[in-house]
Amino acid sequence: MNAPADPHFATRIRESFGRQKAMAFIGAKLTSVEPGATEITLAYREDLTQQKGFVHGGIIGMIADTACGYAAFSLMPADCSLVTVEYKINILAPARSSLVARGEVVKAGRTLTVTRAEVYAEDGKHIATMQQTLMMLPGTPDTPE
Amino acid sequence: MNAPADPHFATRIRESFGRQKAMAFIGAKLTSVEPGATEITLAYREDLTQQKGFVHGGIIGMIADTACGYAAFSLMPADCSLVTVEYKINILAPARSSLVARGEVVKAGRTLTVTRAEVYAEDGKHIATMQQTLMMLPGTPDTPE
Amino acid sequence: MNAPADPHFATRIRESFGRQKAMAFIGAKLTSVEPGATEITLAYREDLTQQKGFVHGGIIGMIADTACGYAAFSLMPADCSLVTVEYKINILAPARSSLVARGEVVKAGRTLTVTRAEVYAEDGKHIATMQQTLMMLPGTPDTPE
Amino acid sequence: MNAPADPHFATRIRESFGRQKAMAFIGAKLTSVEPGATEITLAYREDLTQQKGFVHGGIIGMIADTACGYAAFSLMPADCSLVTVEYKINILAPARSSLVARGEVVKAGRTLTVTRAEVYAEDGKHIATMQQTLMMLPGTPDTPE
């Protein structure tokens, strides 16, 4: 059902993730790439925290957004790029540990793909849940213009 | 209507923002604090970009989330803290410039506050729009435990 | 800026609304159609209430969704139809009166349009706020297949 | 984990659903009540359709909202009521058949509960997915004032 259109999807995604300077900046790692699902891991760092010392909600959103995006991208043809249309995230608990965001495809449409991510703390606590919409841009490179 | 419960709200917010290591990390500045409204400005930097060289959608979410949060916080009593319950953001256009996020209160309730943020590029282009829910935690400090 | 692509947009929208059996069923009226903005009015009726006697949150969503959709549709070409991709609604207060939902376009893109609606009670109370995404389907009729 | 605080939760929910005139109005049935999960079934009817003859997106939202709400309510104490704070729904496919909405609790907090619903058509097609936030009102009756 979630068959990738491009057999080299994992390589393509790892290269794309490698171009995401924002992911390197916060120290996020792409730790799993499967058809329709990816995982991003983030080590706890003080410089990612908000005023009470917890990981900033926007940082949690960043890794969930990215995990969802690459889950969608894994099923798309090699010659396209994609954009995030929108995402909605519920923060379920504060986090002061490393995090893992698991993104997966809910529905892969021709133009739009709907995805979901769950974010967990090191101890397994459920930190956040995201629902996201992405749009495929056919025939556009996934690189800077 | 949007009267702050704490006359020293601006000082309290500037101090809280100053404790947000994640905001310093990405170079975000709190450039305006009014009752029920704040503004956060972010300079363009390559290390905040995604794979195509645009500002990462999660970074846009970070500044919008924070602008909304402090808009809500500006109307709350001095002895409380607040948490982001959830936010939803539509990315309207890609951005390769500095950004400003303007957050404002839509409805300040006893426990929950609903806010909105608009994010604009340097040239005035509308980059993103956010709708957010926050919860007040009465009698809890806005500092690390 | 929000110039309609079809000069007969208002007639087209009134006819489309007239085909919405669900709107007739709940008694909703299309009370204003402007370029990029529409208004739907709903009389209070007991059969639209939830367990505590307030207008059902889903009914509030229905009129906000429809007001947003026609706001988007007003700017689109005559030969297209559109689908709701997603919407997010905050219920700000319970309502036990007639309601008006005002939808407006935030950003009209080539494929996707982002809209917003505010719902007010008869006494002016702010009842709900919605953020929505729609997709244009070019060259498809806005009628049953 | 999802242990109901009230052993009579199923009876309480069936009675509450029975007071929802809007559910009777559209013909929705509460077809399953479990701890942390409920199911609502809706027969296809022409008077629930939009302009193209599909079930109105707002009607889909209504049953998903209600399924989520009662999933949350099933875990709450007997003497409380609850309100929908917000919900976000993605419409994944148009529907011209009966529908079933399955709601479940993602996180039951002290004040806020986060839920999710999936809506399916008669043939198993995935029609919509919702993420929702509810607030418990302790010591308030779940009946008209």
Side-chain angles (χ1 to χ4, degrees), chain D residues 18-69:
Chain D
R19 286 192 299 278
Q20 289 225 14
K21 296 195 175 79
M23 288 291 109
F25 186 55
I26 64 170
K29 310 283 181 203
L30 179 66
T31 41
S32 172
V33 180
E34 300 292 332
T38 76
E39 185 184 282
I40 290 177
T41 304
L42 181 73
Y44 177 82
R45 278 168 31 178
E46 281 226 327
D47 53 15
L48 304 179
T49 57
Q50 36 83 292
Q51 75 281 5
K52 297 181 76 169
F54 298 113
V55 180
H56 196 285
I59 294 285
I60 299 171
M62 270 184 85
I63 59 170
D65 172 36
T66 307
C68 282

Side-chain angles (χ1 to χ4, degrees), chain C residues 119-139:
Chain C
V119 181
Y120 298 96
E122 211 165 4
D123 62 1
K125 199 171 195 178
H126 200 175
I127 298 301
T129 183
M130 176 180 280
Q131 192 168 315
Q132 191 206 43
T133 311
L134 300 119
M135 181 163 61
M136 187 173 76
L137 304 175

Side-chain angles (χ1 to χ4, degrees), chain B residues 64-87:
Chain B
D65 172 35
T66 306
C68 282
Y70 284 119
F73 203 40
S74 71
L75 304 183
M76 292 180 180
D79 67 343
C80 75
S81 69
L82 93 176
V83 290
T84 296
V85 173
E86 58 86 37
Y87 59 87

